[in-house]
Amino acid sequence: MPQVICGAARRICPPLAALFALLSAGTAQAEVALVSETRFLPGDDTPGTPVEEQDWARISAGDTGYLTVWQDVRSVLSGWVNTAYNPLTGNETDIYAARMDTEGNVIDTCPIVIANEGRNQESPKAAWNGDSWLVVYKSDRPDWYFFTDILARRVSADGEVLDTEPIEIRLENNDPANDYGDYPSVVSDGTNWIVVWQDITWQQNGVGWPNISGVRIAPDGTILDPTPKILYQHPTYSFGPNTPDIAWNGEIFLLVWERLGASGKRLDANLDPIDASPFSIGGGSYFLRVESNGEDFLLGSRDHRKVWRIQADGTVLDPGGILIPAPGGYQYRGPDIAWDGTDWVIVISGNPGSGGGPDIWQARLHTDGTFGTVGTIASHPEDQYKPAVASIGNGTSQVVWSSRQVGAGVLENIEGATLAANGTAGPEVTVSLGLGRQSQVRFQTDGVHHIAVYQSEGDGEARILAQRLDALGQAMEAEPVIVGTVPESRFPSPEVAWNGTHYLVTWTLGGAVYGRRLTADLALVDPAPVMLFSDTAGETGVAALGGDFFIAYPHTYSGDQRNLKGARIDGTDLSLIGSLMNIGSGFALNPVARTIGDRVLVVWERQVNHDNNQSSVQSVWIE
């Protein structure tokens, strides 16, 4: 059994100080610092579903294809999206996009980055003006999360982002208090874009009256209304208006919003009112959607699962609304609407009668208010929701939605399908593609070559990968060796050690510690990963102890109290030698094990508790 030499958990400050001194001295004596060029490990570059969440997709038709935009968390560095009261630890939520052709093929398998300023960018929407798209979104101020601005960038037909700096449509104002711009929506009249949103105008008596405001934006990005136009102002401080949307029929705009039901107001090309007062459309709710067929309009309501036909003169043909013949249930946002040149295409999420997560449904509405094709587009055990649809008007349309494999623990991705004129859905495609997120690299050497072990998260799983490097740092394999896989976003935290015969790579999953051996040329020794400890384990530290290995890991024994445990593992068959031992107590984290001579030094962080991050570095020697 290994012998622990620790006394009262001896500190290692003097050895670390000596090491730093040696490094500093070496640096001071060197005349030239030799640093090679940056090298990237090759391989692991097949596009798949990226790590983290892609959600809230919207789609806009161009002349010959589509642009899908969504909010994306793949670049978050903190482990969670919450920048309030915390240091800025990454880009958090960004806006990405991808173009699709009329057959539903994704053109940009490496997505277009629309906005990745600090903190969160959210709620993107896009509109085509005949030459390019305008993508509108909300953005937190990098220096103060409580300020939210409405910004935009233009994207050309070939996928180029035309604005290095965003177009500042509406900046937050906190005089006398925040005026809370929210829910931006965008449409085009074929030349200019029109952006509308909800906000507040503060009166002289200090009362804030809610508005729907808007501006026109020229094709070159110039804002034609430097002072936003108030398109509707409610004369009290309560109850909306909320979640505006706007459509253009070639001659006039129809602006809609929710306030105890859906209301509308027609505007001319300059955003001046045609109707002196708003007119009531019907029982609406949040997330209204309105679209035009080039003459009349169709409005959809989320909670009522209904649509209303509205003529260009403002006449509401269906005061009671037309019920969409699709199952009820979870939808959160919807329905969404497009005109395919012949019929209205309505998409909505609904729970199937057989149980399981919500599916994506389509319903074809004729201009006379009757339905044609009604059926599922995407039916799976996992959740499918938040659909959006657009059409270039040739009888086909393109739908995109959020998909989440709940049972597998896979986070949201954006998927899509093409809808034919007869309502037939084409094959499903993944829209929000990306490469694996590589992290947690660890290095080890057999005395001749080096090995890099790291995790690559994405496409529904996190893979533990290994690659060799020669003495000059050049990768020796074109593709890494897959040592093991775990479900996406499980943070396996791989480690590696060399005992003179084999490498041992360790990682954790579901509280258990797994390991797998490789030869010096990275041939797998064990036919499958071996469970070493079925404990409530966290990240591992591993090092060679003679021809065997020593593994240390934090063990959660009560709530989040963690002791540091360890054991010797046989290098020939990965069996446990002796029994587990307690190395350290308290809130133990992040163990590191290193072979020094014929002993192993185990170092870890000991916090006071989970509410107090004051910590010390502690260590023991393992004989």
Side-chain angles (χ1 to χ4, degrees):
M1 177 155 179
Q3 180 184 1
V4 180
I5 301 177
C6 61
R10 186 175 62 197
R11 302 291 179 94
I12 61 167
C13 293
L16 281 177
L19 176 61
F20 292 148
L22 288 172
L23 291 174
S24 300
T27 303
Q29 294 171 3
E31 295 182 1
V32 179
L34 299 179
V35 180
S36 72
E37 73 277 10
T38 300
R39 300 189 182 111
F40 295 95
L41 294 176
D44 189 35
D45 56 3
T46 302
T49 57
V51 71
E52 300 292 352
E53 294 183 351
Q54 295 82 52
D55 204 1
W56 293 103
R58 296 300 289 265
I59 186 168
S60 173
D63 286 344
T64 59
Y66 301 91
L67 183 74
T68 298
V69 295
W70 65 89
Q71 60 187 51
D72 199 300
V73 195
R74 74 182 70 188
S75 64
V76 66
L77 301 180
S78 64
W80 59 87
V81 181
N82 177 20
T83 57
Y85 308 112
N86 292 322
L88 187 57
T89 52
N91 287 333
E92 304 298 337
T93 304
D94 301 324
I95 305 301
Y96 282 50
R99 292 170 298 150
M100 305 176 71
D101 63 22
T102 55
E103 303 299 318
N105 301 306
V106 178
I107 298 171
D108 302 299
T109 55
C110 179
I112 304 166
V113 180
I114 303 295
N116 64 344
E117 288 86 9
R119 300 195 186 274
N120 295 310
Q121 289 79 54
E122 301 173 300
S123 304
K125 297 178 181 66
W128 173 259
N129 75 338
D131 180 69
S132 55
W133 283 281
L134 184 72
V135 180
V136 178
Y137 55 93
K138 297 192 307 180
S139 181
D140 293 347
R141 295 268 180 91
D143 56 343
W144 180 228
Y145 77 97
F146 203 61
F147 278 15
T148 300
D149 301 325
I150 296 175
L151 309 176
R153 280 187 168 94
R154 295 169 299 143
V155 180
S156 69
D158 60 4
E160 180 185 359
V161 178
L162 300 176
D163 302 292
T164 303
E165 296 297 324
I167 301 168
E168 296 179 342
I169 294 176
R170 189 260 182 207
L171 300 181
E172 183 67 77
N173 180 17
N174 71 332
D175 183 17
N178 286 44
D179 45 12
Y180 301 111
D182 207 351
Y183 294 107
S185 184
V186 60
V187 71
S188 174
D189 61 9
T191 302
N192 299 320
W193 292 284
I194 291 80
V195 180
V196 298
W197 62 89
Q198 69 182 57
D199 60 12
I200 294 173
T201 297
W202 295 99
Q203 307 301 310
Q204 292 183 352
N205 61 0
V207 174
W209 286 7
N211 306 321
I212 302 296
S213 301
V215 298
R216 295 166 299 153
I217 301 174
D220 64 359
T222 301
I223 298 178
L224 300 176
D225 304 293
T227 299
K229 293 189 174 184
I230 296 178
L231 307 179
Y232 171 71
Q233 183 175 78
H234 192 64
T236 68
Y237 62 87
S238 62
F239 300 115
N242 296 306
T243 60
D245 198 21
I246 190 169
W248 167 257
N249 75 346
E251 294 183 358
I252 64 170
F253 294 102
L254 177 60
L255 174 68
V256 298
W257 63 87
E258 193 280 333
R259 185 193 175 272
L260 302 179
S263 298
K265 192 174 186 179
R266 295 176 303 149
L267 310 169
D268 65 18
N270 294 318
L271 297 185
D272 294 325
I274 297 173
D275 302 304
S277 300
F279 57 89
S280 176
I281 298 174
S285 181
Y286 291 102
F287 301 111
L288 300 175
R289 287 288 292 125
V290 65
E291 189 57 74
S292 174
N293 62 2
E295 182 177 356
D296 298 321
F297 301 91
L298 188 70
L299 178 138
S301 163
R302 181 191 71 176
D303 287 356
H304 292 81
R305 303 180 69 86
K306 291 181 179 181
V307 292
W308 286 261
R309 292 176 298 154
I310 306 165
Q311 292 182 321
D313 63 3
T315 301
V316 179
L317 296 180
D318 314 289
I322 305 172
L323 183 66
I324 302 169
Y330 179 88
Q331 53 180 314
Y332 198 71
R333 185 191 70 194
D336 203 21
I337 302 166
W339 174 253
D340 72 358
T342 303
D343 290 322
W344 296 104
V345 182
I346 303 168
V347 294
I348 195 168
S349 62
N351 292 331
S354 58
D359 298 330
I360 304 300
W361 286 70
Q362 66 167 320
R364 298 297 180 104
L365 180 70
H366 305 316
T367 54
D368 64 1
T370 62
F371 282 97
T373 301
V374 177
T376 56
I377 299 169
S379 178
H380 299 289
E382 60 261 26
D383 288 348
Q384 317 279 326
Y385 47 87
K386 299 176 186 171
V389 66
S391 176
I392 61 175
N394 65 346
T396 66
S397 52
Q398 181 70 40
V399 60
V400 294
W401 64 88
S402 295
S403 176
R404 183 166 67 105
Q405 300 178 38
V406 180
V410 177
L411 300 174
E412 284 89 347
N413 300 304
I414 305 303
E415 297 182 350
T418 299
L419 304 180
N422 63 1
T424 303
E428 295 175 34
V429 297
T430 301
V431 180
S432 58
L433 293 168
L435 302 181
R437 182 167 71 186
Q438 300 163 341
S439 61
Q440 297 287 331
V441 63
R442 297 293 184 266
F443 288 95
Q444 189 53 263
T445 181
D446 63 5
V448 178
H449 299 129
H450 307 283
I451 181 177
V453 173
Y454 55 98
Q455 64 188 39
S456 178
E457 297 175 82
D459 210 16
E461 63 184 13
R463 298 177 298 159
I464 293 90
L465 305 178
Q467 272 177 305
R468 289 186 303 166
L469 298 88
D470 62 21
L472 297 177
Q474 302 283 0
M476 300 173 64
E477 285 83 26
E479 287 287 340
V481 173
I482 301 175
V483 183
T485 61
V486 302
E488 182 181 76
S489 298
R490 290 302 188 272
F491 309 109
S493 302
E495 284 287 350
V496 60
W498 168 259
N499 72 346
T501 304
H502 296 137
Y503 292 107
L504 174 63
V505 180
T506 61
W507 65 92
T508 60
L509 172 63
V513 177
Y514 291 84
R516 199 171 188 182
R517 293 170 297 165
L518 299 92
T519 63
D521 59 0
L522 299 192
L524 295 168
V525 176
D526 306 295
V530 178
M531 181 186 289
L532 304 176
F533 310 112
S534 59
D535 211 346
T536 309
E539 62 279 357
T540 59
V542 58
L545 189 58
D548 300 321
F549 298 96
F550 188 84
I551 298 176
Y553 63 89
H555 162 69
T556 303
Y557 65 90
S558 176
D560 57 5
Q561 296 301 304
R562 300 176 183 179
N563 282 342
L564 194 68
K565 287 189 173 184
R568 186 176 174 184
I569 299 296
D570 195 307
T572 62
D573 61 6
L574 298 187
S575 62
L576 176 65
I577 299 175
S579 58
L580 280 165
M581 65 179 69
N582 285 319
I583 299 175
S585 62
F587 195 80
L589 297 168
N590 305 318
V592 176
R594 292 292 182 265
T595 302
I596 301 178
D598 59 356
R599 300 189 296 177
V600 168
L601 180 66
V602 179
V603 185
W604 70 96
E605 175 188 356
R606 184 182 187 277
Q607 288 186 191
V608 176
N609 55 54
H610 76 284
D611 289 328
N612 186 339
N613 61 6
Q614 291 183 345
S615 61
S616 58
V617 176
Q618 301 193 331
S619 71
V620 297
W621 287 102
I622 306 296
E623 296 289 358

